[in-house]
Amino acid sequence: MDTYITGFDIRRMTGVYNHPTLLGYLSAISFIYLLSKPLSREVFLLLIISFILLLLSGQRGELVLLFACFPLAYLLRVSYKMFGVFGSGILSLIIYIITCMNFESIFGIDIAGDNVVRHVLYAGAYQVAFDYFPLGSGMATYGSSNSAESLVYYDTGIEMLWWFSKGTAFLTDTTWAMILAESGFIGTGVYLFFVSILLFYCVSRNSSIYSCAILSFILLESLSNPTFTSYVYVLVVGFAYALFSGGGMRENSYGD
């Protein structure tokens, strides 16, 4: 897929993938992982290569998340130390409930004329979850690769937007919108709770700032990409989990 960096006539690099998002995603995670290694000439060279690939992918979101994941990583460590694995899962659930209660004021739900695909998907998902309370519209009805013919899109007005006719290229752009619409408020809460438990279990196994940063990056990435539903992304999540379970990431000598 040929796409170009906004504002420049520069083609975004995709590497071996069909979209630059995956290249940016893997480059950013590789960069964080390499930061955990003792600095050497080889590590420094790989850091430069990873960062250049991230820039060439043209993924501004991943570039921002590369820096945003470290503050969140610090919060994950603090939460685990204060509340433990289960308590942190409960805290995540409380934050989710508060967000749902204030969803309209935070995000808005006016779909008509909105060209920001992911914003529309979230707004539509909230509307679907509300209309099909409490367990959502069911599998393969919203935000998944099998939902292109779903009548739910016509109920929300999404079918009138220009990108709807592009099919799954846009409809599968985010994980949580799909889960919210298809599983409802209760199903999403249960799913989020177990994801949080897994997340903080990983922190309990390896709480280095770099390990937590990778987890934070994956979590933030899931807000705008199918991180937990696309097999390519899930492979990366599994690789990250293997790093945690083996204790392979540690604090290096030049950072915390």
Side-chain angles (χ1 to χ4, degrees), residues 19-241:
H19 195 278
T21 299
L22 283 167
L23 179 63
Y25 178 67
L26 292 172
S27 298
I29 288 182
S30 298
F31 186 87
I32 299 171
Y33 176 73
L34 289 166
L35 283 177
S36 71
K37 299 300 181 182
L39 188 60
S40 65
R41 180 179 300 177
E42 291 78 13
V43 170
F44 181 75
L45 179 60
L46 290 173
L47 280 169
I48 296 298
I49 292 173
S50 296
F51 193 71
I52 290 176
L53 287 174
L54 175 57
L55 292 178
L56 291 177
S57 72
Q59 290 297 115
R60 292 171 297 178
E62 278 69 21
L63 185 60
V64 171
L65 294 185
L66 180 61
F67 298 97
C69 67
F70 283 96
L72 180 57
Y74 176 77
L75 293 177
L76 289 179
R77 298 175 80 185
V78 170
S79 178
Y80 168 69
K81 291 177 180 178
M82 291 182 63
F83 305 108
V85 174
F86 187 79
S88 296
I90 295 295
L91 179 62
S92 301
L93 198 56
I94 293 173
I95 294 174
Y96 162 72
I97 293 173
I98 294 174
T99 302
C100 287
M101 293 174 63
N102 297 278
F103 189 95
E104 292 186 39
S105 59
I106 297 174
F107 301 102
I109 57 172
D110 183 17
I111 292 176
D114 195 331
N115 288 320
V116 182
V117 177
R118 293 183 179 99
H119 181 267
V120 171
L121 289 175
Y122 274 107
Y126 177 84
Q127 182 179 331
V128 171
F130 188 84
D131 291 342
Y132 291 87
F133 183 85
L135 297 177
S137 57
M139 297 180 64
T141 56
Y142 190 95
S144 59
S145 58
N146 296 319
S147 68
E149 303 299 325
S150 174
L151 296 178
V152 170
Y153 296 118
Y154 295 85
D155 295 336
T156 58
I158 290 178
E159 93 288 351
M160 296 185 297
L161 302 179
W162 67 268
W163 49 264
F164 179 77
S165 61
K166 303 295 183 180
T168 58
F170 289 97
L171 295 178
T172 58
D173 254 358
T174 174
T175 297
W176 295 100
M178 181 200 75
I179 295 172
L180 178 60
E182 294 187 349
S183 303
F185 293 113
I186 293 179
T188 303
V190 172
Y191 183 82
L192 176 63
F193 177 73
F194 283 107
V195 168
S196 299
I197 292 295
L198 177 61
L199 180 77
F200 285 102
Y201 171 75
C202 290
V203 174
S204 72
R205 296 295 301 271
N206 188 333
S207 61
S208 81
I209 191 66
Y210 303 105
S211 299
C212 293
I214 286 184
L215 280 181
S216 300
F217 184 89
I218 291 173
L219 185 62
L220 291 170
E221 181 79 4
S222 71
L223 296 174
S224 60
N225 281 300
T227 307
F228 299 126
T229 53
S230 169
Y231 72 92
V232 178
Y233 285 94
V234 170
L235 285 175
V236 179
V237 174
F239 175 70
Y241 179 77

